Amino acid sequence: MSNHSSAMEFCLLGFPGSQELHHILFAIFFLFYSVTIMGNTIIIVIICVDKHLHSPMYFFLGHLSAVEMLATSIIVPMMLWGLLLHEMQTVSLTACVTQLFLYLALGTTEFALLGVMAVDHYVAVCNPLRYNTIMNSHTCISVVIGSWVFGFLCEIWPVYATFQFTFRKSNVLDHFYCDRGQLLKLSCGDTLFTEFVLFLMAVFIVVGSLVPTIVSYIYITSTILKIPTASGRRKAFSTCASHLTFVVIGYGSCLFLFVKPKQTQAAEYNKIVSLLIIVLTPLLNPFIFTLRNDKVKEALRDGVKRCCQLLKD
């Protein structure tokens, strides 16, 4: 790729403002990142340890938490380091390619997992008697492996196409990470066709995982409304509430950032939406799936009690 690009490194402008403001932002984002890592790690640990959570629903949730943790770790540590620097942050071409690929691949994997989780909820609510037969261990493992492989294979061409352009205009990216839109803005060639193909691929990925989610929830809603008792309806809906909340937040923010014909959006717009996706959404994930899930809360309480008992002993 370096043979096609005159820039061997890029400079990240990061956030505007004084050094004092940067230190405040560092403290805020470091706190958010720490809570994100700790919260998602706790979810993964209790799912692995507590036998009551050894079911397809929590198996998928564990992988979703792992994806969230990895995706935010691709961007945030570099962003935090940039806030501490007194000069402009530089990143090599290889590091830029790697960061963009891993971030997009993990994002695509997350969309695939969200679609899988929606279908899992559909089977649990609409076909409870056949749930264990349909969502057996072989099916769950195959689907998760497929989601990871799909995510990484799907983003090879988009990243390759992005770095096929020459970057002779400048090597300064007005962002806190190697954003695809800002990279295309720096390129010298005509990016219109590439941007259109990238737009179609983004539509395919997002809509492709959103359609089964919407269809699943249409059937789920129809089934829940047929339950005669209010307590039964509430219990059935609570099974899906956490996933539905995460879907609305995740898809809503990503639609604004990636599914647009013009990839070279204003830098300020990209930074704000990127912060929502990279910092806020992973931070909310542990709270959404713990505060709204009785089984996870119970497992968490049991884990705290065991730890307290061990400390006393």
Side-chain angles (χ1 to χ4, degrees), residues 49-63:
V49 171
D50 197 302
K51 62 181 181 180
H52 297 103
L53 301 182
H54 291 176
S55 66
M57 182 188 302
Y58 299 105
F59 177 69
F60 298 139
L61 175 58
H63 280 270

Side-chain angles (χ1 to χ4, degrees), residues 9 34 44 49 62 77 107 119 144 148 171 190 205 217 256 269 287:
E9 66 177 16
S34 300
I44 294 171
V49 171
V119 175
V144 163
W148 283 91
N171 70 333
D190 184 7
I205 292 168
Y217 275 103
F256 281 108
Y269 173 91
F287 297 101

